[in-house]
Amino acid sequence: KKVMETLNKIKVLIEKMSVDTQKVFDKGNRSASIRARKYAQEVKQLIGVYRKEILEEIKKHDDEFSD
């Protein structure tokens, strides 16, 4: 389902962001900070998509049970 695909993309990005954030704190890696911020922006966009998809999904379930 679309919702789960979006959620998995968010999880992957969060993991990448976590790795790069650790590099920033451990080594002061500037490139890692740029990547981490890029991942954060992508997560922000995907959260909006996720919110819409999850709402659509619950509406489908509501429609099924209201018949």
Side-chain angles (χ1 to χ4, degrees):
K1 298 198 177 199
K2 284 194 309 183
V3 178
M4 294 309 293
E5 288 175 21
T6 301
L7 184 58
N8 285 331
K9 287 179 187 176
I10 292 168
K11 288 178 181 180
V12 168
L13 286 170
I14 293 289
E15 183 56 35
K16 289 180 177 181
M17 193 168 61
S18 177
V19 168
D20 279 331
T21 299
Q22 194 62 52
K23 289 179 184 177
V24 172
F25 281 98
D26 290 347
K27 306 172 193 166
N29 186 320
R30 187 174 300 278
S31 296
S33 74
I34 292 168
R35 287 191 304 270
R37 287 183 293 136
K38 182 183 130 212
Y39 297 142
Q41 186 62 36
E42 290 177 35
V43 168
K44 182 179 176 182
Q45 291 168 345
L46 281 173
I47 291 291
V49 172
Y50 172 81
R51 292 182 72 226
K52 289 176 189 168
E53 289 174 353
I54 202 85
L55 187 59
E56 289 171 11
E57 190 64 30
I58 200 64
K59 283 181 181 178
K60 280 190 227 172
H61 285 276
D62 288 347
D63 290 345
E64 287 175 18
F65 293 112
S66 65
D67 289 340

